[in-house]
Amino acid sequence: MMNLLHGLLVSEAEEMRLLDLMSYVMLLMAAVTFFTLLVEDLPYGRYASRKYGFPVGAKLAWFVQEMPALLIPLCLLLGTSGSKLGHLPNRLLLVMYFCHYIQRCLIYPFLIRGGKGTPFVSFLLAFVFCMYNGYLQVRYLSHYADYPAGWVTHPAFVSGSILWLVGFLINLHSDHILRNLRKPGETGYKIPTGGLFEYVSGANFLGEIVEWAGFACAGCSIHSASFAVFTLVVLSSRATAHHRWYLEKFEDYPKGRKALVPFLY
């Protein structure tokens, strides 16, 4: 991989321009996705459709589609001597990134109970995105991100790190609630309760949005910001679709519960 990069990019300046371009392309992808999702829900889970390809088993889909976000960064770190890896802010931001994807790749898929298959098109798009974003985030942090002395005590880094941790914990707790909605042998959908589900239908989505918003705040770069914006667009759409589905499915669904932001939306 690294030999290929050196063959395509003559200098570090060219690669840095490539990383910047990839960030702007991700923002463009977010805009296109936003308008697309205004007219059609993401084809997965309860919204899955055969027109988007054959279903891939839930556990297998999550494990495989998220794996590039872990393997490509590991290859980048182990196969090169990143010039910025000795800097504390870069290391801490990489820890945030890897904590999420270790959990998402190596733990979360094996905790799934049942779950509908993921249409192949959705699976493939997620796989490609994880490749793209894994390279973008980790290559930038390991080789190019340059922070001033004392950045780890800067309000942006401190508040962003706290936000990341809060979002990470919300996401873990909300996933735990969803996994345990049904008792062994039970089928069908139930109304989630507990934690932030008392206030919003998409508590798990809210957690991940907060997590990557904190990462972007701590990182203060177009690279992390583009990832946070893309996450916001995709997951806010999922939360809105889930909220609408719950209201249609359950007559006794809590009327005061919002879709994504407690008390507001």
Side-chain angles (χ1 to χ4, degrees), residues 227-265:
F227 181 27
V229 170
F230 189 87
T231 300
L232 172 63
V233 168
V234 173
L235 297 189
S236 61
S237 174
R238 290 188 186 182
T240 300
H242 276 29
H243 186 65
R244 183 172 59 246
W245 184 88
Y246 279 126
L247 288 172
E248 294 172 354
K249 176 80 172 177
F250 298 100
E251 292 184 0
D252 58 341
Y253 195 72
K255 302 305 180 185
R257 189 177 296 187
K258 300 299 183 181
L260 184 65
V261 183
F263 312 112
L264 297 176
Y265 172 75

Side-chain angles (χ1 to χ4, degrees), residues 58-64 66-67 70 101-114 179:
K59 290 187 177 183
L60 178 63
W62 272 105
F63 176 72
V64 175
E66 301 287 315
M67 190 54 69
L70 188 59
Y101 280 106
I102 287 172
Q103 196 278 335
R104 189 60 82 193
C105 297
L106 304 180
I107 299 174
Y108 175 79
F110 303 102
L111 296 176
I112 294 175
R113 299 177 181 177
R179 278 194 304 272

Side-chain angles (χ1 to χ4, degrees), residues 88-90 92-93 96 151-162 214 217-220:
L88 184 58
N90 304 60
L92 292 176
L93 287 162
M96 295 179 200
W151 180 249
V152 293
T153 60
H154 190 281
F157 188 88
V158 173
S159 59
S161 299
I162 293 172
C217 181
C220 279

Side-chain angles (χ1 to χ4, degrees), residues 1-263:
M1 176 186 290
M2 303 321 302
N3 290 333
L4 176 61
L5 282 174
H6 289 311
L8 295 174
L9 303 169
V10 176
S11 67
E12 289 188 349
E14 285 193 357
E15 184 176 23
M16 187 61 211
R17 284 194 292 271
L18 172 63
L19 294 172
D20 290 345
L21 177 61
M22 290 176 68
S23 300
Y24 290 114
V25 169
M26 187 178 290
L27 290 174
L28 177 61
M29 289 164 52
V32 171
T33 301
F34 173 79
F35 288 109
T36 301
L37 294 178
L38 289 178
V39 296
E40 185 161 0
D41 292 327
L42 280 169
Y44 83 105
R46 66 196 69 174
Y47 316 110
S49 169
R50 282 277 181 176
K51 71 178 181 178
Y52 294 103
F54 62 88
V56 182
K59 290 187 177 183
L60 178 63
W62 272 105
F63 176 72
V64 175
Q65 75 189 25
E66 301 287 315
M67 190 54 69
L70 188 59
L71 289 183
I72 289 177
L74 285 175
C75 289
L76 290 172
L77 294 182
L78 298 176
T80 63
S81 54
S83 58
K84 303 298 182 181
L85 288 177
H87 299 181
L88 184 58
N90 304 60
R91 287 185 176 185
L92 292 176
L93 287 162
L94 286 168
V95 166
M96 295 179 200
Y97 177 91
F98 278 105
C99 277
H100 175 88
Y101 280 106
I102 287 172
Q103 196 278 335
R104 189 60 82 193
C105 297
L106 304 180
I107 299 174
Y108 175 79
F110 303 102
L111 296 176
I112 294 175
R113 299 177 181 177
K116 292 187 176 180
T118 300
F120 182 75
V121 171
S122 298
F123 163 77
L124 182 61
L125 289 174
F127 183 86
V128 171
F129 177 81
C130 286
M131 291 178 60
Y132 186 99
N133 189 58
Y135 168 73
L136 172 61
Q137 302 302 325
V138 173
R139 186 67 174 175
Y140 174 71
L141 287 172
S142 62
H143 285 74
Y144 299 103
D146 194 11
Y147 296 101
W151 180 249
V152 293
T153 60
H154 190 281
F157 188 88
V158 173
S159 59
S161 299
I162 293 172
L163 270 179
W164 176 86
L165 180 60
V166 169
F168 183 69
L169 294 176
I170 290 172
N171 189 240
L172 291 182
H173 183 241
S174 300
D175 283 343
H176 172 76
I177 290 173
L178 291 174
R179 278 194 304 272
N180 291 279
L181 280 178
R182 292 187 291 264
K183 296 177 181 179
E186 288 185 331
T187 59
Y189 289 98
K190 289 190 172 184
I191 298 174
T193 58
L196 279 177
F197 281 114
E198 296 296 325
Y199 304 96
V200 296
S201 300
N204 51 328
F205 303 133
L206 175 60
E208 191 162 345
I209 290 169
V210 170
E211 184 183 347
W212 293 120
F215 179 78
C217 181
C220 279
S221 71
I222 185 63
H223 315 85
S224 56
S226 62
F227 181 27
V229 170
F230 189 87
T231 300
L232 172 63
V233 168
V234 173
L235 297 189
S236 61
S237 174
R238 290 188 186 182
T240 300
H242 276 29
H243 186 65
R244 183 172 59 246
W245 184 88
Y246 279 126
L247 288 172
E248 294 172 354
K249 176 80 172 177
F250 298 100
E251 292 184 0
D252 58 341
Y253 195 72
K255 302 305 180 185
R257 189 177 296 187
K258 300 299 183 181
L260 184 65
V261 183
F263 312 112

